[in-house]
Amino acid sequence: MGLFGGTFDPVHIGHLVAAEFVREACRLEEVVLVPARVPPHKEMPVASAEDRFRMVELAVAGRPGLTASRAELERDGPSYTVETLRRFRELRPGVRLAWILGADLLADFPLWKEPREIAAMADLIAVARPGYNEQKGVQILRARFPEARVEVVEIPRLDISSSALRQRLAEGRTVSVLVPEPVLEYIGRNRLYAKAGRRR
Ligand code: ATP
Ligand code: MG
């Protein structure tokens, strides 16, 4: 089973491509998208945890093998991966877990809470992302954590980020196609990301 954590503020097709392609490449039964309530290593999200979860739910709806989890919404404090993995070990005893992450996060991994424990509980699957050298990232990670099981999955490189989408939405520009249609509707209906005074 693959766990794919993130802020998903908002979820976009880069996330879905990563989830789908890793599921196929690693023959995972399920890839679970896990929105962080409070991301420990970045600024506070713009949309509420509940809205981000709803958008992830809409994005995976009708996609066999992709699901959304509330695991990090149910815990107080920063959403540490190590605690999420412990929770999934309880929920799904005996199931082999993989943690999926974008190449941009490889360099930060040693700064995460209890990285050694994370690597002991899960295989790490890094997906390629434009602007980041995943081979170098993996080399560094392997040097620091020789016992970690880490592999790279090559996926179509989509230069899309939630921050760039939020910026576009704040400017009243389109994010069509980059965000799944039901998510687009949800954003519009709930006026997420629009700058005050520019809402429509
Ligand atoms: P932000 O710009 O707010 O950081 P983001 O697009 O990076 O948003 P996150 O929620 O931070 O999205 O990322 C969740 C996970 O998805 C991370 O592991 C990240 O590396 C990965 N990811 C995000 N966008 C892409 C992409 N375009 N290609 C590959 N991986 C991605
Ligand atoms: Mg990010």
Side-chain angles (χ1 to χ4, degrees):
M1 176 170 156
L3 302 176
F4 190 25
T7 315
F8 303 113
D9 191 19
V11 63
H12 54 69
I13 59 167
H15 298 129
L16 292 179
V17 165
E20 293 276 22
F21 280 66
V22 166
R23 193 171 95 82
E24 182 189 69
C26 303
R27 296 194 191 79
L28 303 176
E29 226 160 78
E30 188 182 351
V31 170
V32 186
L33 279 69
V34 192
R37 197 182 68 86
V38 178
H41 299 290
K42 59 196 254 195
E43 69 285 9
M44 275 299 284
V46 173
S48 71
E50 209 53 53
D51 279 332
R52 290 181 288 110
F53 175 75
R54 275 299 295 150
M55 290 189 277
V56 168
E57 242 184 0
L58 291 168
V60 298
R63 299 187 175 278
L66 298 195
T67 57
S69 164
R70 303 185 63 91
E72 294 191 347
L73 271 52
E74 285 160 0
R75 286 201 317 265
D76 288 336
S79 308
Y80 293 116
T81 297
V82 68
E83 289 167 13
T84 305
L85 285 169
R86 287 192 179 116
R87 180 77 186 117
F88 273 93
R89 293 234 297 188
E90 280 169 23
L91 292 170
R92 307 288 275 267
V95 171
R96 183 167 170 189
L97 300 176
W99 189 265
I100 302 164
L101 72 174
D104 56 306
L105 299 180
L106 284 170
D108 280 353
F109 180 80
L111 306 173
W112 291 12
K113 188 183 173 199
E114 300 178 50
R116 225 167 274 283
E117 285 69 16
I118 296 175
M121 283 190 278
D123 302 344
L124 300 175
I125 301 173
V127 293
R129 190 169 185 181
Y132 298 90
N133 184 335
E134 63 280 355
Q135 298 304 341
K136 200 169 148 201
V138 164
Q139 262 176 26
I140 294 168
L141 195 140
R142 284 200 178 116
R144 273 292 298 276
F145 305 100
E147 71 285 12
R149 299 171 304 277
V150 45
E151 68 171 295
V152 173
V153 171
E154 188 55 50
I155 62 169
R157 291 163 192 259
L158 299 174
D159 191 2
I160 306 171
S161 69
S162 299
S163 354
L165 296 179
R166 289 195 302 275
Q167 179 68 37
R168 291 186 72 86
L169 286 160
E171 291 167 0
R173 296 163 75 198
T174 182
V175 296
S176 181
V177 185
L178 302 181
V179 162
E181 197 57 34
V183 175
L184 199 61
E185 282 164 25
Y186 188 91
I187 291 173
R189 205 163 51 242
N190 296 285
R191 299 169 194 283
L192 305 179
Y193 310 115
K195 275 217 176 78
R198 299 192 62 163
R199 294 180 170 177
R200 41 184 175 152

